[in-house]
Amino acid sequence: MDIIDAIIMRKSIRDFKADPVPKQILKEILDTATRAPSAENSQPWEFTIIAGEVLNTIRQANIEKLNSGAPSHPDLQTKGLPPESIYRRRQIEIAKQIFKLMDISREDKEKRDLWMRRGFRYFNAPAAIVVYVDRSLSYPRTLFDIGAVTQNICLAALHYGLGTCIANQGIAFPEVLYEFAGISESKRIMISIPIGYPNWDFPANKVVSTREPIEDISTWIGFE
Ligand SMILES: Cc1cc2nc3c(=O)[nH]c(=O)nc-3n(C[C@H](O)[C@H](O)[C@H](O)COP(=O)(O)O)c2cc1C
């Protein structure tokens, strides 16, 4: 696949077919994706790739955490977007697009809650890649490198007909991943990437997120 096509075609997939993803394909994706650049070639990324019954156990444990009212506390701490900001408006816009396709009204708390829970279940993906770094590495330092390898994973997945969704929700309760995926507490869990063959009949998978025109977000200097 042409690189430009891949970048344009990549999108967040939020429902998958049940078909398992062969281990060899996941291995090839990671082999390719780890060609990503990293500061001083430090390659801070490490991965745990989860499928099968273990992934089902983790899905269930995340939902039990939610049901218990436990606040999510990902290692990747992000503050909410500033209210009334353009960033918050973009967040609302994508949510509106998805809820429209999924026929979820503003008032329908039950459907909204069910929707929110999908992310904690890795969107029913047959596999999930959890990306982490050693806690000895400074936090901001690794963010760029992890972003690069994460995007590479999502792009390489397309070559095999696979879809992905980069997801904070899947790492909201790190203790679940320590316990059931055996990830060491000495690791900072950065992101999860549910991966599988997209269910194209699922309405939310048809969403095309918008982007700002480049003229509005760029300044050009020294050109004719
Ligand atoms: C760091 C990061 C965390 C994200 N976490 C979630 C998540 O927890 N749940 C979710 O549904 N989408 C999540 N997304 C996907 C974004 O919502 C999505 O990338 C954005 O709306 C643009 O849509 P697109 O990926 O289809 O282009 C995340 C994306 C990034 C980069």
Side-chain angles (χ1 to χ4, degrees):
M1 182 185 290
D2 174 75
I3 190 163
I4 301 293
D5 289 343
I7 292 169
I8 293 169
M9 272 180 64
R10 187 218 52 84
K11 62 186 329 207
S12 295
I13 295 299
R14 297 186 174 89
D15 194 56
F16 297 85
K17 295 179 182 160
D19 311 52
V21 186
K23 184 177 172 187
Q24 179 57 27
I25 289 183
L26 290 168
K27 163 87 172 33
E28 284 175 28
I29 288 170
L30 292 174
D31 275 339
T32 306
T34 49
R35 294 305 305 169
S38 61
E40 296 159 297
N41 201 24
S42 51
Q43 305 169 57
W45 41 71
E46 295 176 59
F47 311 97
T48 291
I49 305 93
I50 315 169
E53 267 319 297
V54 182
L55 187 56
N56 287 337
T57 303
I58 291 171
R59 292 187 231 272
Q60 190 53 35
N62 279 342
I63 296 300
E64 279 164 22
K65 285 275 173 192
L66 275 182
N67 290 344
S68 74
S72 82
H73 57 98
D75 283 337
L76 187 78
Q77 284 292 353
T78 50
K79 279 191 191 164
L81 295 169
E84 312 295 331
S85 64
I86 180 70
Y87 314 106
R88 173 86 176 120
R89 284 211 292 281
R90 291 173 191 153
Q91 182 192 28
I92 292 170
E93 185 191 330
I94 186 71
K96 275 188 179 163
Q97 277 180 274
I98 292 175
F99 285 167
K100 190 168 177 214
L101 283 168
M102 293 299 299
D103 197 23
I104 301 175
S105 73
R106 222 180 138 76
E107 300 72 36
D108 195 334
K109 284 215 167 86
E110 197 182 326
K111 273 195 183 174
R112 287 173 82 106
D113 188 59
L114 276 174
W115 174 261
M116 180 271 290
R117 284 161 186 263
R118 295 184 71 78
F120 291 85
R121 289 193 285 105
Y122 303 90
F123 306 103
N124 301 329
I129 300 172
V130 179
V131 187
Y132 45 91
V133 300
D134 197 82
R135 283 189 192 276
S136 62
L137 295 165
S138 91
Y139 183 52
R141 185 194 157 100
T142 56
L143 281 173
F144 195 99
D145 308 343
I146 295 304
V149 81
T150 299
Q151 169 79 342
N152 269 3
I153 290 171
C154 298
L155 294 178
L158 297 175
H159 174 76
Y160 301 91
L162 291 160
T164 53
C165 185
I166 303 167
N168 276 332
Q169 285 169 298
I171 56 160
F173 303 109
E175 67 276 21
V176 168
L177 294 163
Y178 300 149
E179 181 176 352
F180 298 107
I183 297 173
S184 163
E185 290 186 39
S186 66
K187 306 297 175 188
R188 194 188 300 282
I189 300 178
M190 304 296 277
I191 205 70
S192 71
I193 312 170
I195 183 165
Y197 299 97
N199 171 8
W200 290 117
D201 294 332
F202 187 69
N205 285 348
K206 299 187 200 311
V207 80
V208 179
S209 58
T210 62
R211 295 295 184 272
E212 297 297 326
I214 292 304
E215 309 84 74
D216 294 358
I217 54 167
S218 55
T219 305
W220 301 73
I221 298 168
F223 291 85
E224 288 299 307

